[in-house]
Amino acid sequence: MRSDVRRVLVATLAILLVPAVAMRFTHEVDWGAGDFLVGGALLAGTGLAYVLAKRRIAGRAGRLLVGGLLALGLLLAWAELAVGVFH
C-alpha cells in the first residue's frame, strides 16, 4: 500500500509542476499558493480514494467504474473551480 500512496503523491506533484513551470514562461497562468493547495488536495484525494477503492473492489469492471466516476468528479470539481461552469 505504501508504494501506491507514494505513486499518488509523486503523480500529484508531477501534475502540479505543469502550472508551476508554465508560470515561469507565460503570464497566462497565474496560480497562487491556495490554487496549488486546492489542486493538490483534489488530485491527491482522488488518487487516494481510488487506492482505497481498489483494495475493496475485486473485479476489474468495478474498479474501472469507480475510477471513471472518481475521474469525472475530479474533472467537474476542477472545471467549477477554474471557470465556474455551473454558475
Side-chain angles (χ1 to χ4, degrees):
M1 181 161 165
R2 284 185 179 179
S3 65
D4 289 339
V5 171
R6 191 173 301 135
R7 281 187 211 144
V8 167
L9 296 178
V10 168
T12 298
L13 290 174
I15 292 169
L16 290 176
L17 275 175
V18 173
V21 170
M23 285 174 41
R24 296 285 186 184
F25 297 104
T26 181
H27 295 291
E28 298 292 322
V29 180
D30 185 25
W31 282 33
D35 297 320
F36 283 100
L37 286 173
V38 170
L42 281 172
L43 291 169
T46 302
L48 293 174
Y50 179 74
V51 167
L52 289 174
K54 183 176 82 166
R55 294 203 169 269
R56 295 185 183 256
I57 299 173
R60 180 179 167 101
R63 288 180 181 177
L64 286 172
L65 178 64
V66 167
L69 290 174
L70 285 170
L72 179 63
L74 171 70
L75 291 174
L76 289 173
W78 197 287
E80 174 60 26
L81 291 171
V83 294
V85 171
F86 302 111
H87 278 95

